[in-house]
Structures are given as structure tokens and as C-alpha cells.
Amino acid sequence: DVGLRDLTIMSLGGQISRRQSLFSADGQLLLAPCGNNINLYGAATSERAGSLEGHTDEVTCLALNPRDTSQVYSGSRDGTLRLWDIASQTCVKVLAVREPVRAMVIHSALNIAYLSIEWRDGMSGRVICYRLDKGRAGATAMKLRAAGPLAMASPQSGLVATLDR
């Protein structure tokens, strides 16, 4: 039984990223969190094709923007979400979460991100709804023992799951 945190993306025997990576919507690029950056690799060649730089702490999660799949959201331990244009490799928007982000899934119809965040210096966790259009969290939160991975049944579903050991 392998958890998301145990996955390692490998290329030609070398490690690309310990974090969950994703492919661009067209399948041409692999986007891989690497420290404070997101490295872009050619899917066919595994050669580095660029980097998205701007976070001030470790990038922990990625999700394609369901409203414009040429863009990707990143979450970081620096307490921000960033929206990136993949082709131009530029940051389009910075959203303040104010707590370290551990995981993210996006509800496409509601334009809401469900975020697993660290709380009280990592002593516990919360799952919050974050309004991407308004740049702020909703009023409710689910308490957890620790911030952990999230899963969504489908991008249109309201069902979000996490583990709380």
C-alpha cells in the first residue's frame, strides 16, 4: 500500500520529484514540484523544458485550472496558491491562504479549491473551501489530526475525501 507521499517520479533512473506531478492538458509536458519551483519536462523526451518560479517555500501540490487548462494552480508551504500560465511560464495571480498548503483539489463547477492546510505550526490540520474567484476561504473547516492528501470523486462532484489517522 503506497501513499501519495511515497510516490517518486523517475526518469532514466533518476528522481525528478518526490511530490505528486501532473501532465499538461495536451500531454506534452510533465509538471513536477521541485523545492520552491515547478519544473517542466517534455513528456516524450524527459528533458527539462522550463520552470515556474516564485514560491518562497516548498511547492506541495498542483491542479490544472478547470476553467482554462493552459493554466495550473500550485499550493505551497509558503501559505499561497499561485496561478500560472504554462506556455509563458509566468505567474498570473497570487492568492493568500495564510497557512501552509499540503494538498488541493478543485471543484470545476463552483470554482472552489478544497485545501488541506497545516494548522498551529503543523500540530493539526484543516480542510477548507477556498473561493478561487474571491481569493478567500469560506467560513467552515473540517478539523484533522494532521494535514493530509485529498481526493475528489470527480471535478464536478462535491465529494472530497481525506485520511485522518
Side-chain angles (χ1 to χ4, degrees):
D1 186 43
V2 176
L4 286 178
R5 67 177 163 225
D6 300 321
L7 292 177
T8 300
I9 305 300
M10 304 287 284
S11 171
L12 304 173
Q15 179 178 321
I16 291 177
S17 179
R18 291 185 58 239
R19 295 283 181 186
Q20 187 174 12
S21 301
L22 61 84
F23 286 98
S24 58
D26 63 8
Q28 298 297 307
L29 293 171
L30 174 70
L31 289 76
C34 296
N36 299 359
N37 303 323
I38 303 151
N39 289 336
L40 311 177
Y41 296 92
T45 64
S46 72
E47 290 185 24
R48 189 163 169 210
S51 181
L52 307 178
E53 300 176 2
H55 281 291
T56 59
D57 204 339
E58 182 182 14
V59 177
T60 56
C61 52
L62 301 172
L64 289 176
N65 181 356
R67 297 193 172 196
D68 182 352
T69 56
S70 69
Q71 298 177 331
V72 65
Y73 282 99
S74 60
S76 170
R77 295 184 55 79
D78 67 10
T80 66
L81 298 179
R82 289 180 181 257
L83 179 61
W84 305 90
D85 180 80
I86 298 169
S88 67
Q89 299 180 26
T90 57
C91 182
V92 176
K93 185 188 294 188
V94 179
L95 301 166
V97 178
R98 297 186 182 90
E99 301 295 337
V101 179
R102 168 75 165 83
M104 163 178 50
V105 291
I106 297 177
H107 189 293
S108 61
L110 298 178
N111 204 28
I112 289 175
Y114 294 95
L115 304 176
S116 177
I117 60 171
E118 294 179 9
W119 193 254
R120 299 194 177 162
D121 294 325
M123 299 303 292
S124 63
R126 300 282 188 272
V127 174
I128 63 170
C129 294
Y130 191 90
R131 296 204 43 194
L132 297 169
D133 57 344
K134 302 284 185 192
R136 67 173 188 245
T140 60
M142 181 175 66
K143 296 178 183 178
L144 302 171
R145 291 185 191 132
L150 295 174
M152 182 176 277
S154 76
Q156 297 79 28
S157 167
L159 177 63
V160 176
T162 189
L163 301 174
D164 191 23
R165 297 178 199 174

